[in-house]
Amino acid sequence: IEKAVKAIHKQYLIEKGITKKCLVLDCDNVLWGGILSEDGIENIKLSGSGLGRVYQDFQRFALSLYYHGVILAVCSKNEISDVLTMFREHNEMILKEENIACFQVNWEDKPSNIKTIAEKLNISLDSMVFVDDSPSEIKAVKAMLPEVTSILFKRDMDYQQFSCFNLKNTVSITEVKKRNETYRTNACREELKAKYVDYADYIKNLGIKIDIHEAVPIEYSRISELTQRTNKCTNGKRYTVSEIKERMVSDRVKLYSVSVSDRFSDLGLVGVIEIEDDALTLFSLSCRALGREIERKMLHFIRTQHQINSIVYHSTGKNKAIETLFLEEVPNVEITNHETG
């Protein structure tokens, strides 16, 4: 009975999209056997058999998480050039450089580097899982960043510890790759931003293109995922795919998807808007699309296409700023507050 209850609860979490978002990986004796800076790339243990198999198996497991929508990051005390050489040149590597959204490789302490990863990816610490083979590193992260789920890597470890990832099988591989490319090209955006004193000039030269159109059924799965994963730039409403399909039967409901690209990459479908009668019932924009004034352009679209009298707002504990934005961009509109999303 206990196993059945746990299985049912797991399916509930998957359906509702309640899951960790990011897996932060140490390198030495986690992704490969040995200490890269001491042993050298030629002496690293990594293969499909023998002592190196356990590390290749774990890489394969991490890659499966990636293809189910988990963000992968690397946090390692190493030289970045050595680590990138491993990813680019070692023929037994299952994980590739393009699978990693963020490399934080230096000799700084792990808690500080994990905080930096969270800032770069614009995600919360409580959505992160950290894996390391060092008990002292795990202890340090647990003490300084208790929100992060920390897992001690062992050669004979039980992957059941990763059950905090509640993942769907319907994740679009194309969207996964677009998201990762967005993270990987953020350094280019920061470099461009540094050239301009005026933020408006930066936005102009970023070459942003926004496509807002009525959502089609093939987009429902991505829209559902977006509503469930977004906690900051959202009115807090969550939908499953079946709930979206039920609502779209009504002529009173209009659902719009928002796709974005800029001069560096195609971000893909990163936003969604839903209007029911004269109410804004759903507003969600992925965190990786923030900093480009897209949310204001979405609200401008709403004002020009619909006569809105009210906005539904559910607090996620992290989306107070969007309520403020609603008051600025859509004045004289009633905001209906709900306790939960």
Side-chain angles (χ1 to χ4, degrees):
I1 292 175
E2 181 181 356
K3 288 182 179 179
V5 170
K6 287 182 178 179
I8 293 171
H9 183 240
K10 180 78 170 179
Q11 290 304 312
Y12 168 81
L13 296 175
I14 292 172
E15 179 69 14
K16 293 297 183 180
I18 302 172
T19 183
K20 298 291 184 178
K21 296 180 180 179
C22 177
L23 178 62
V24 182
L25 300 158
D26 180 32
C27 290
D28 294 335
N29 291 315
V30 174
L31 294 184
W32 52 72
I35 308 298
L36 186 57
S37 61
E38 297 177 4
D39 300 326
I41 189 172
E42 67 278 3
N43 295 313
I44 287 299
K45 297 180 180 65
L46 183 65
S47 62
S49 61
L51 295 176
R53 180 174 179 175
V54 65
Y55 305 106
Q56 196 177 78
D57 285 347
F58 183 66
Q59 284 196 34
R60 191 171 285 108
F61 171 71
L63 185 63
S64 73
L65 294 181
Y66 166 83
Y67 281 122
H68 282 81
V70 175
I71 304 167
L72 300 184
V74 165
C75 178
S76 174
K77 288 182 178 179
N78 257 306
E79 295 293 339
I80 182 63
S81 58
D82 292 341
V83 170
L84 290 179
T85 297
M86 274 293 300
F87 273 85
R88 294 169 180 173
E89 299 182 12
H90 200 293
N91 59 11
E92 295 290 350
M93 287 288 292
I94 300 298
L95 291 175
K96 302 299 181 183
E97 184 181 356
E98 57 265 26
N99 302 134
I100 308 300
C102 179
F103 284 91
Q104 198 64 23
V105 180
N106 51 49
W107 300 100
E108 303 298 323
D109 65 276
K110 295 289 181 72
S112 295
N113 278 331
I114 291 172
K115 288 179 67 175
T116 299
I117 291 171
E119 291 167 2
K120 286 184 175 182
L121 300 180
N122 204 4
I123 59 176
S124 59
L125 290 169
D126 60 8
S127 68
M128 304 175 80
V129 177
F130 171 59
V131 182
D132 200 295
D133 68 301
S134 169
S136 61
E137 296 285 15
I138 293 294
K139 185 177 180 180
V141 172
K142 285 184 175 180
M144 299 180 68
L145 304 175
E147 310 97 317
V148 176
T149 298
S150 299
I151 297 175
L152 179 64
F153 181 89
K154 297 180 180 179
R155 287 181 57 87
D156 59 348
M157 71 183 302
D158 183 359
Y159 286 8
Q160 184 63 31
Q161 294 179 75
F162 295 91
S163 61
C164 52
F165 289 105
N166 304 302
L167 308 172
K168 297 181 178 180
N169 292 321
T170 54
V171 175
S172 167
I173 301 301
T174 300
E175 288 296 331
V176 167
K177 291 181 177 179
K178 285 181 179 179
R179 182 191 64 199
N180 234 42
E181 185 62 18
T182 301
Y183 288 134
R184 288 169 51 78
T185 53
N186 275 342
C188 300
R189 295 180 181 88
E190 290 300 317
E191 185 178 332
L192 177 68
K193 186 177 180 181
K195 296 179 180 179
Y196 297 94
V197 176
D198 191 333
Y199 182 72
D201 288 338
Y202 161 67
I203 293 297
K204 180 180 179 181
N205 283 277
L206 195 53
I208 299 170
K209 296 180 180 179
I210 303 175
D211 173 49
I212 303 178
H213 61 264
E214 289 195 32
V216 294
I218 197 173
E219 297 173 323
Y220 291 172
S221 179
R222 168 58 184 158
I223 289 172
S224 171
E225 177 191 18
L226 187 62
T227 68
Q228 293 168 357
R229 291 173 65 101
T230 305
N231 291 308
K232 292 182 181 179
C233 193
T234 174
N235 72 329
K237 185 60 182 174
R238 320 288 194 185
Y239 282 138
T240 63
V241 174
S242 59
E243 287 171 338
I244 292 173
K245 290 178 178 179
E246 289 174 7
R247 292 186 61 76
M248 291 309 296
V249 172
S250 173
D251 293 333
R252 298 164 51 197
V253 177
K254 290 288 186 182
L255 185 69
Y256 300 95
S257 66
V258 182
S259 296
V260 176
S261 64
D262 63 22
R263 62 185 291 182
F264 296 111
S265 71
D266 180 0
L267 281 68
L269 200 166
V270 293
V272 59
I273 303 164
E274 182 190 67
I275 308 294
E276 183 174 9
D277 295 331
D278 59 359
L280 173 61
T281 49
L282 175 63
F283 185 96
S284 189
L285 178 66
S286 172
C287 292
R288 64 188 170 92
L290 296 181
R292 300 170 176 82
E293 300 294 319
I294 296 169
E295 57 271 35
R296 294 183 185 274
K297 289 181 171 60
M298 289 168 64
L299 290 172
H300 175 73
F301 172 84
I302 294 168
R303 293 197 308 270
T304 57
Q305 298 295 318
H306 297 273
Q307 184 65 44
I308 300 298
N309 296 320
S310 65
I311 298 174
V312 176
Y313 173 81
H314 304 256
S315 174
T316 66
K318 302 174 183 178
N319 64 337
K320 185 65 179 177
I322 195 65
E323 184 181 18
T324 303
L325 183 65
F326 288 155
L327 294 172
E328 293 175 358
E329 295 292 323
V330 197
N332 304 317
V333 171
E334 178 187 3
I335 297 181
T336 306
N337 287 276
H338 298 261
E339 291 186 359
T340 57

